[in-house]
Each structure stands twice: as structure tokens, then as C-alpha cells.
Amino acid sequence: MELGIAADIAIILVAALAGGLVAQRLGQPLILGYIVAGILVGTFLRDTISDVHDIELLAEIGVALLLFALGLEFSLKELRPVRQIALIGAPLQMLLTIGYGYGIGVGVLGLGWNEAIWFGALISLSSTMVLLKTLAAQGVIGTLASRVMIGMLIVQDLAVVPMMIILPTLGNLQQGLPDLGLAVLRAALFLGAMVVIGTRLMPWLLRVVASWQSRELFLVAVVTLGVGVGYGTFLFGLSFAFGAFVAGMVLSESDYSHQALSDVIPLRDVFGILFFVSVGMLLEPGYIMRNIGLVLLIVVLVFIGKATIFAGLARIFGYGNAAPFVIGLGLFQVGEFSFVLARVGLAEQAISEDLYSLVLATALITMILTPLMSQLATPLYGLWRRYVPREELTTFNLPQEELHDHVIVVGYGRVGRAATSVMRRVGLRFVVVELDQRVVERCKAEECPVIYGDATSEVVLEVVRVHHARLMLITLPEAITTQLVVRRVRDMHSSLHIVARAADGEQLYALKQLGVHEVVQPELEAGLELVRQVLIHYAIAPTDIQRFSEAVHQELYAPLYEDGYSDDQSTRFLYRMARRSLEIEWILLDETSSIINQSLRDSAIRKRTGASIVAVLRDEVLMPNPDPDHVFSEQDTLAVLGTDDQRRALSHLIEHGVLPPAEDDETRHRNELIPEIR
């Protein structure tokens, strides 16, 4: 008895698992492993597969679920910070790349006009999966350039749906244009119906199913909506995947979108595996071996063309500094949705199997090269700055006298703005260097001394008198730009004290190697503050909270100083140790406290323990530096200043009426290592 398609699926899943494990170990996206597994299955096990057509039908469900999940994840809010370059620049990039690909197709590959347009469309898409993995590995996923790339990728992914409708009509324009017009009309009618049905009926149905408290039924309902609407659009004469995408986009506005997405992702991934393996099974390895020179030529042409187009558009839309290099070298690859389009092209006989194999090979190679190429952004930008004229300098609100003993603040984002506001309060002299004209205008309106320019430029650093500065504060979120600034400053002023913002632990080490004195990681500081609030809620003593926070600081920042401390670093470390030893602790008096109804003078607290009462909080009224005749009452909260031993002695005196017994050296050492949580 033959198992048929069950055996086929088992073979494909085992091969995909093996390919995914290898890709994971090599630090590559899993889809590359799945595609390579498909190539091996198609080459060596094709006779074992009983029905490739059935696998392709299951893969269509994978495509539908991919687009359904994409619709669920779609949100205009994500595009808001970069909406101009995403909504205008991304379509423009795709048109330019299609034109560029058309030129390659006709001039290099000798394709007809229709197939050349398909080739341009296939290479115009970039890979969301590969880019996100690369950004996460480099720890720069929150930078401005990263947000631009993600915004453009969202628009690219959305463009796949209309491309699946438009491209098949190009083969026969005389008949295709009426078909396209009819398809647009059907799509408009379908979207109108989905707005009415999707915003009323579908959320109501999910709400009813969710009220039954069955996770299984909820999953079935979600998948039924996605695949069912897709099948309905197919019967209506539109793309199956298009309907699934629209269903997901409509559901994304409901209250159940997050749960629906979390439930459908595992199923999407399983069917997605079938899709990517089937993509690899269609590749003809013999074609690649016979045309390896052509494949490498197309890879080089795609790299140069797409990187140039992306970088140029980034610069045109006002993104300067290293951003064009980061964007161009991050999005040059051919993406996974190109496989979806390629499958459509094969089914419509619009592209040949040879062109399919060429595009797939190009996509695989460019995906593999992405992490390596993205690391070239820093050296290429440094080379560019060496030969390209500097930006014109514009200054606002600079003091009349020459800058001296001042702070140079690089970047006026949220962090830089907060830092300069504190500097103003304490009267520190500072000057801001900012390259974003919009931010410069805001800085100008706030009467902040600012220079419009690039902090990696020697001319700009000369204007801010880097040789006479006391300190430089780098608040930029971009790891690459921060390192470039540090390198340039070190070339001009090797001893200037630099405090920099770090994106992650890896950048901590990189900045240390470049000679940065102090590094701050905002995520760590925010996390510690959140934990402090939790500990305060649980009535943990403030001194213990501070002690634990400092311990975490030492653990995470200590690797920066594993080779020892400089004199300045030793001084700062000793200051932190002293601050920890001489802390203010708040002690609440209850009815059992021994000093109730005693005055501050009569209790002789300072004489007996060495600690000082610097404030008393009573009935939400703070009394700083209380008078010696102040009488303690129940529910008073005392602010106690002193060393650990002094505060411990006072706590014992208040609780027991006597001082604690003297500790021997071993006990004192143990108490210092293991602080008691009061």
C-alpha cells in the first residue's frame, strides 16, 4: 500500500528540517535552508515524490497564509515615521528597478520585452526575512535607517498583490487590458463588499467563537476566514492569495487581530515550508552549473543596480550621513516574494524555466551575501567622506565668545534633547551637532546652540572647537555613525573624554576598543528603572534596591573594564562605591519603635549610631533637617544618612531599643556580600 501524498509530505518535512538546521548553524535565514532542501529533493528524490502537482497545490495554501498573515500584520502606524520614502520612494524604487531589470533582460539575457519586464519585477523585491535577521544580528533594528528599510519593505510586500494581477495580462495586451480593467472592477467590488462584511460580520463571528473559550475552534475560524475568503475571490475571478491578504488586512483592525496572528503563524510556517521547498524543487541545478558565469554576472549587476537605486532615493528623500549606504547595502538582495511571482510567471508561461532558475539562483546568492555586504557600509561611508565635499555649515545661537571647556552633543533626538535640558539647568556650556534639517529648525526655535553638519567631518569638528572641548556626548542611535564619529574625533583629539550611547552589548565592546570612556545602554537603564519600581512596590528598602541595581551595572558593564581601570575610571568606580556606602534610607516608625515620643536630642541617634536624621515625612509633609526638639511619632518616616553599618545600627536601635552586638570581621564580610532585604 502506498501512502501517496502523506509520504511526500514526510520526505519534504524531513528534508526541510535538515536544511533549516544547517542554515541555523551557519547563521543564515531558515528559508535558504528550505529552498536548498527542495533543490536536493528535486535533484535526487524526484522519483520518490508521487505527485509534485499535489505538493504545489498545498504550497498555494502556504502562499495564501503568508499573505493572510501579512495582512494581519499590516499597520499604517508603522509607516508614519518614514511615510514619505515608504509610500513614495518604495514604488519609485520598484519602477526604477523594473526598468533597470528590463535593460538587463534585453541587453544581457536577450529576452523578449514581456519576459524582460517580468525579470525586472522579480528582482525589484527585497527580502523582509533576511533583512530583519541581519538587523537583529547587528543590533541596529531600532535605528533610523532600519526603520526606513522596514517601511519600504512593507510597501514592497503589499505591491506583490497588484503585481500578481497586472503582470499576467502583459502577454496579450489587446485582450489583457480589458481583462485587467475587469479585474480592477472586480477588485473594487470585492473590496467594497469586504469593508462592509469584514468590519461587521467577521469580527462578530470571531467574538462569538472566542466566547466559547475554545482555542481550537478559534484557530479553525481564523484559518477558515483567510482561506475561505481567498477561495471566494478565486471563484469571483481574482487571485486566491489576494483574497487571503484582504481578509487579513480587514481583520487587522479588529480586537482579535493579535490573537488571530499568533494562532495562524505556526500553521503559516508549516505550509510556508512546503512552498519554499517546492520552489527549490523547480530549480534546475544543471542550468546553474552550465551558466555559472552568467549567474555571477547577474548577481553583480543586481547588487550594483539595486544598491545604487536605494542609496540614491534615500539621499533624495533627505536621509544623509551613512543612511544611504546602510539602506543600499541592506536591500540589494532579491526577496522571498519574488518566488511567489516567479511561480505565477511559470504557471502563466510568461517566463521560461531557465529564467526561473536564474532568478532563484540570484536570489539565493544575494540573500547569503546580505550580512556580509551590510557590514561594508561603515568603511564605504568613510571612503566617501574622504573624497566628497563637506556639507555646507550653518550655525545658530552660538555664543559670541569662543567655545572653551564645553560639551559637544552629537544628535538632538529624544536623548540629546533631555541631556541638553539638564545642562541648561546647571549652567553647562554646550553646542549641538545635527544633520537633520528638521531637527535643526526645532533646535533653533528652542534657542539651542547648534551647527548643521556631519559630526564625522573635520571641518565641523573644527568649528565646534573639538580641541578645546571638555567632553563629547554622542546620543545617536545608529551604531555605524557613532563609531565613525569616535574614529574621527580620536584622529583629531586623542584624549577627549567621550560618553556614547550603545545599541547593545556588542557595541559596548566595539566602542571600548575605539577609546570611548563611558558607554550607556538605554534599554538596560530603562529595564533597571522598571525593576526599581517593582521593588519599591514590594517595599524593598531603597538602599537594597540601589545595591542590587549597582550589582547589575557591574555585571553588564564590567566586561568593558576587564583589562583594568584607568585613573579616571578608578575614580568614578570609587565614587560609585562611596555613594553606595553612604546612602539615604527611609525607615517607617510603628507603635513598637523604641524612639516613639522621644525628641531628636533625647534619642541621641547620631551619638549612639553615627547616622544622621536628615528629614522626616509626616502626613505627607516633608520636614527637612528636623529641629533637635522634634518629637518622633508613630507613622513618621525617617530619612537616614549614613554608612551601611550606621544605618544597620539605627534600625536595630529603633526595633530593639539597644545597639546591635559588635560584629567580627567574618560576619561583617558576610553581611557586605549578602545584603539582608528588610
Side-chain angles (χ1 to χ4, degrees):
M1 183 179 68
E2 295 184 0
L3 291 177
I5 192 172
D8 298 343
I9 294 176
I11 293 172
I12 288 174
L13 291 179
V14 170
L17 175 62
L21 289 175
V22 173
Q24 178 72 18
R25 297 296 295 174
L26 295 177
Q28 297 295 328
L30 295 181
I31 61 170
L32 294 181
Y34 302 151
I35 295 172
V36 172
I39 295 172
L40 296 177
V41 169
T43 304
F44 300 106
L45 300 176
R46 180 172 290 274
D47 294 337
T48 308
I49 303 297
S50 61
D51 195 339
V52 176
H53 180 66
D54 288 344
I55 299 299
E56 292 177 354
L57 291 178
L58 290 175
E60 292 297 325
I61 298 179
V63 174
L65 290 177
L66 280 172
L67 291 175
F68 179 59
L70 175 64
L72 283 172
E73 294 176 295
F74 173 69
S75 174
L76 285 173
K77 294 179 181 178
E78 297 181 10
L79 298 179
R80 190 170 300 162
V82 292
R83 57 185 177 274
Q84 287 188 338
I85 191 170
L87 297 176
I88 301 175
L92 185 58
Q93 168 269 319
M94 295 183 69
L95 291 174
L96 291 173
T97 307
I98 290 173
Y100 177 72
Y102 177 85
I104 295 176
V106 173
V108 178
L109 301 177
L111 303 176
W113 69 269
N114 182 35
E115 203 170 11
I117 291 177
W118 271 89
F119 176 75
L122 292 173
I123 68 170
S124 69
L125 301 172
S126 302
S127 174
T128 303
M129 296 182 185
V130 171
L131 180 77
L132 290 178
K133 183 176 179 62
T134 301
L135 295 177
Q138 295 178 352
V140 294
I141 204 164
T143 64
L144 177 61
S146 299
R147 292 197 296 270
V148 169
M149 289 188 284
I150 292 172
M152 297 184 77
L153 284 170
I154 291 174
V155 174
Q156 278 192 3
D157 292 346
L158 295 177
V160 172
V161 177
M163 290 172 74
M164 292 174 66
I165 298 175
I166 296 172
L167 287 175
T169 66
L170 297 178
N172 187 353
L173 284 179
Q174 186 174 0
Q175 180 182 354
L177 287 178
D179 290 344
L180 178 59
L182 183 59
V184 171
L185 178 60
R186 288 174 175 172
L189 293 175
F190 171 73
L191 288 173
M194 285 298 298
V195 168
V196 176
I197 298 174
T199 57
R200 290 177 171 83
L201 181 60
M202 292 168 66
W204 172 82
L205 178 61
L206 288 182
R207 183 166 59 250
V208 171
V209 175
S211 67
W212 295 340
Q213 301 296 315
S214 173
R215 184 76 174 266
E216 182 178 347
L217 283 176
F218 187 82
L219 172 60
V220 173
V222 169
V223 175
T224 300
L225 287 174
V227 178
V229 172
Y231 182 64
T233 57
F234 174 75
L235 295 178
F236 196 58
L238 295 172
S239 166
F240 181 71
F242 173 69
F245 169 75
V246 173
M249 191 167 63
V250 171
L251 279 178
S252 69
E253 300 300 323
S254 74
D255 296 333
Y256 301 95
S257 60
H258 300 295
Q259 185 61 46
L261 180 62
S262 66
D263 284 350
V264 83
I265 279 178
L267 196 62
R268 176 203 67 181
D269 292 342
V270 172
F271 279 95
I273 288 173
L274 294 178
F275 168 72
F276 288 117
V277 172
S278 68
V279 165
M281 290 173 63
L282 292 175
L283 176 66
E284 176 55 49
Y287 171 83
I288 305 301
M289 299 305 297
R290 293 191 303 270
N291 300 277
I292 187 65
L294 178 63
V295 171
L296 295 179
L297 173 63
I298 296 302
V299 168
V300 172
L301 291 176
V302 168
F303 168 72
I304 294 174
K306 287 190 70 174
T308 303
I309 290 172
F310 274 109
L313 286 173
R315 195 69 188 92
I316 290 172
F317 278 85
Y319 295 92
N321 218 344
F325 292 87
V326 176
I327 294 169
L329 294 176
L331 295 177
F332 74 90
Q333 76 287 133
V334 179
E336 58 273 0
F337 276 110
S338 298
F339 307 147
V340 177
L341 275 183
R343 290 289 298 270
V344 174
L346 271 182
E348 297 288 336
Q349 297 182 344
I351 63 174
S352 65
E353 292 189 2
D354 283 352
L355 183 60
Y356 175 88
S357 298
L358 177 62
V359 171
L360 182 56
T362 302
L364 290 174
I365 295 173
T366 53
M367 285 179 174
I368 294 172
L369 290 176
T370 297
L372 177 63
M373 293 295 104
S374 64
Q375 294 178 359
L376 296 178
T378 300
L380 283 178
Y381 177 66
L383 187 64
W384 172 271
R385 300 309 304 150
R386 188 175 301 174
Y387 296 105
V388 174
R390 311 300 181 185
E391 288 89 353
E392 181 181 353
L393 294 182
T394 308
T395 64
F396 301 98
N397 305 318
L398 290 188
Q400 295 296 326
E401 64 275 13
E402 288 188 342
L403 292 168
H404 182 75
D405 202 33
H406 57 290
V407 180
I408 301 172
V409 181
V410 181
Y412 196 68
R414 287 174 294 182
V415 176
R417 193 177 186 188
T420 55
S421 66
V422 175
M423 293 183 198
R424 283 181 171 178
R425 289 172 182 262
V426 298
L428 294 182
R429 294 162 58 89
F430 67 89
V431 60
V432 173
V433 179
E434 177 58 62
L435 194 56
D436 189 326
Q437 183 61 45
R438 292 167 294 184
V439 177
V440 170
E441 291 298 327
R442 185 178 65 185
C443 201
K444 175 185 174 183
E446 296 173 358
E447 298 184 353
C448 177
V450 59
I451 291 179
Y452 171 73
D454 183 358
T456 65
S457 166
E458 293 183 11
V459 176
V460 172
L461 293 176
E462 288 288 351
V463 172
V464 297
R465 294 177 61 84
V466 67
H467 295 96
H468 301 275
R470 176 75 171 269
L471 181 143
M472 172 173 279
L473 177 62
I474 304 176
T475 68
L476 303 172
E478 297 88 354
I480 294 174
T481 309
T482 298
Q483 294 176 28
L484 287 172
V485 172
V486 173
R487 287 194 180 99
R488 181 67 67 190
V489 171
R490 282 288 164 257
D491 291 340
M492 300 179 65
H493 190 342
S494 59
S495 60
L496 179 64
H497 193 103
I498 300 177
V499 179
R501 170 184 178 179
D504 56 17
E506 292 183 4
Q507 195 185 358
L508 290 176
Y509 288 100
L511 293 176
K512 177 202 172 184
Q513 297 299 323
L514 292 175
V516 173
H517 293 79
E518 292 289 336
V519 182
V520 178
Q521 193 175 351
E523 290 80 6
L524 169 63
E525 303 300 334
L528 285 177
E529 182 57 33
L530 290 171
V531 173
R532 287 190 192 102
Q533 298 302 320
V534 172
L535 296 180
I536 290 173
H537 183 76
Y538 278 90
I540 305 297
T543 49
D544 291 328
I545 295 174
Q546 183 66 26
R547 188 178 299 114
F548 298 148
S549 299
E550 289 291 343
V552 174
H553 266 107
Q554 289 183 33
E555 290 175 7
L556 295 178
Y557 286 110
L560 290 174
Y561 311 112
E562 57 188 5
D563 298 329
Y565 291 86
S566 65
D567 291 341
D568 288 345
Q569 291 162 352
S570 298
T571 301
R572 288 191 298 276
F573 178 75
L574 291 174
Y575 169 75
R576 285 196 294 267
M577 292 293 291
R579 186 184 67 184
R580 213 167 53 243
S581 299
L582 194 64
E583 279 286 352
I584 291 180
E585 179 177 354
W586 293 89
I587 299 177
L588 177 65
L589 302 181
D590 57 25
E591 67 276 3
T592 64
S593 300
S594 64
I595 62 173
I596 294 295
N597 297 324
Q598 291 186 25
S599 67
L600 179 60
R601 179 186 291 109
D602 294 339
S603 62
I605 287 175
R606 183 169 184 179
K607 180 178 180 181
R608 299 168 68 183
T609 67
S612 298
I613 306 298
V614 296
V616 176
L617 181 63
R618 175 182 294 174
D619 297 330
E620 299 184 357
V621 176
L622 183 67
M623 294 174 283
N625 195 23
D627 188 87
D629 294 325
H630 175 84
V631 177
F632 298 115
S633 300
E634 183 181 343
Q635 298 303 312
D636 278 357
T637 302
L638 312 183
V640 182
L641 178 66
T643 64
D644 286 343
D645 290 340
Q646 292 169 344
R647 288 182 277 108
R648 191 179 298 114
L650 177 56
S651 296
H652 196 278
L653 174 64
I654 292 174
E655 184 175 354
H656 302 287
V658 295
L659 293 174
E663 296 178 344
D664 56 27
D665 292 339
E666 181 180 354
T667 303
R668 182 179 299 107
H669 180 66
R670 184 174 64 251
N671 287 336
E672 290 173 352
L673 291 178
I674 310 175
E676 177 186 2
I677 300 180
R678 300 173 180 82

